[in-house]
Amino acid sequence: MHTLLTVIRKRPEISTEDFRHFMEFEYGPTYAALPQVRAYEQYYLADLAADGAEDAIDAIVRISFDSEETMREALATEGYRKAHELRQGYMRDTSVGIHSAVLERQVTLV
C-alpha cells in the first residue's frame, strides 16, 4: 500500500463551514471516484492551543493506492486535474496550504 498524508490549510477568507462542505461534497468525491484510489479519509482539526507561530491546520487527508505506480496513474488523470482546479478556490497555494508526504512507517501501540 502506498499512502499519502496531506496537511491542508484553507484560504483565510473561506469559512470553516464552507471549507468542510467543499471538502466533503466536491473535492473528496473527486478523489474517491478515481479507480486507483483504495482508501480516502478526511480528518478535520481544531487547535487546542496555538502559539501564533503557524496558522492552524484545517484538515488532514489520507489517501492510499496499491503502489506508487498506481498513484502516478491517478495523478495523470482528468479526475485529478479537476480536483486540482477545484482546490485553488479553497486552499492556500503553497506548501503552507497543502503539503503531502508519503507514509513510510506506521506504528500502532494500542
Side-chain angles (χ1 to χ4, degrees):
M1 193 72 79
H2 188 75
T3 299
L4 299 178
L5 297 174
T6 302
V7 173
I8 300 171
R9 289 182 173 97
K10 66 178 184 60
R11 292 184 174 279
E13 68 273 15
I14 303 294
S15 72
T16 297
E17 181 180 301
D18 287 346
F19 172 74
R20 290 179 178 180
H21 184 272
F22 161 74
M23 291 290 292
E24 289 181 46
F25 297 103
E26 294 179 56
Y27 187 70
T30 304
Y31 275 99
L34 296 174
Q36 297 89 347
V37 173
R38 292 294 162 249
Y40 181 90
E41 298 173 309
Q42 298 174 340
Y43 303 92
Y44 298 107
L45 308 174
D47 278 352
L48 295 176
D51 62 6
E54 293 185 9
D55 291 338
I57 294 169
D58 296 291
I60 295 175
V61 170
R62 182 176 186 261
I63 185 169
S64 297
F65 306 89
D66 286 335
S67 65
E68 184 176 351
E69 181 180 313
T70 57
M71 178 198 72
R72 293 191 188 288
E73 289 172 11
L75 298 181
T77 65
E78 183 60 34
Y80 173 77
R81 283 188 287 281
K82 178 182 175 186
H84 181 76
E85 289 173 14
L86 286 171
R87 76 181 185 206
Q88 292 177 2
Y90 288 84
M91 299 174 198
R92 296 188 193 180
D93 303 355
T94 66
S95 62
V96 170
I98 183 163
H99 183 91
S100 295
V102 174
L103 178 64
E104 289 188 340
R105 182 171 175 227
Q106 179 175 331
V107 177
T108 304
L109 299 176
V110 177

